[in-house]
Amino acid sequence: MIGYVTIGANDHARSVTFFDAIFAPLGYARTFNEGGWAGYGPGGKKEGLEFYVVTPPNNGKPATYGNGSMLALKAPSRAAVEAFHAAALANGGTDEGAPGVRGQYDPPFYGAYVRDPVGNKLCAYFKG
């Protein structure tokens, strides 16, 4: 149902470094980086759900995050969730919830929460 996701960035180079690092454990890789845009796709392919980072937003104002908004990304394993979290913290992100089981779900929901350099809240999770 979703075709692509776009997140604004205020420092393109910093955001690209951040997203390169957090997407790698989730199986996403950069597909392009030009004209203030960077794109990411599953396995580095421009198919499936694509993710874009743009600098600056088209209205010329600083990128900001949405209060109450969060992007949740599926991870292939618990280890990938942990690698996502560690990569985020090592690349300018902030912790919003360390990797762990959340709630009483079957199968268990194992997730980690971070904020990117702009303040966008992101989650990586594994159910299995």
Side-chain angles (χ1 to χ4, degrees):
M1 179 162 37
I2 296 173
Y4 63 89
V5 174
T6 302
I7 288 185
N10 293 314
D11 181 333
H12 184 77
R14 183 177 183 200
S15 290
V16 167
T17 297
F18 178 85
F19 284 105
D20 282 355
I22 70 162
F23 280 155
L26 305 180
Y28 271 64
R30 190 171 352 131
T31 58
F32 70 91
N33 185 17
E34 58 189 55
W37 287 78
Y40 296 85
K45 298 178 182 174
K46 291 184 177 182
E47 58 187 50
L49 178 62
E50 292 183 82
F51 188 91
Y52 302 104
V53 178
V54 59
T55 274
N58 288 336
N59 66 5
K61 295 182 180 180
T64 60
Y65 61 90
N67 187 22
S69 298
M70 181 179 66
L71 179 63
L73 305 161
K74 290 182 180 179
S77 66
R78 286 184 176 201
V81 170
E82 293 161 3
F84 158 90
H85 188 260
L89 299 184
N91 287 279
T94 57
D95 178 44
E96 285 285 318
V101 174
R102 304 291 198 287
Q104 301 292 326
Y105 302 103
D106 186 25
F109 180 95
Y110 188 83
Y113 300 85
V114 299
R115 289 199 184 263
D116 74 359
V118 170
N120 295 297
K121 190 170 183 180
L122 306 164
C123 167
Y125 72 93
F126 174 72
K127 288 180 80 173

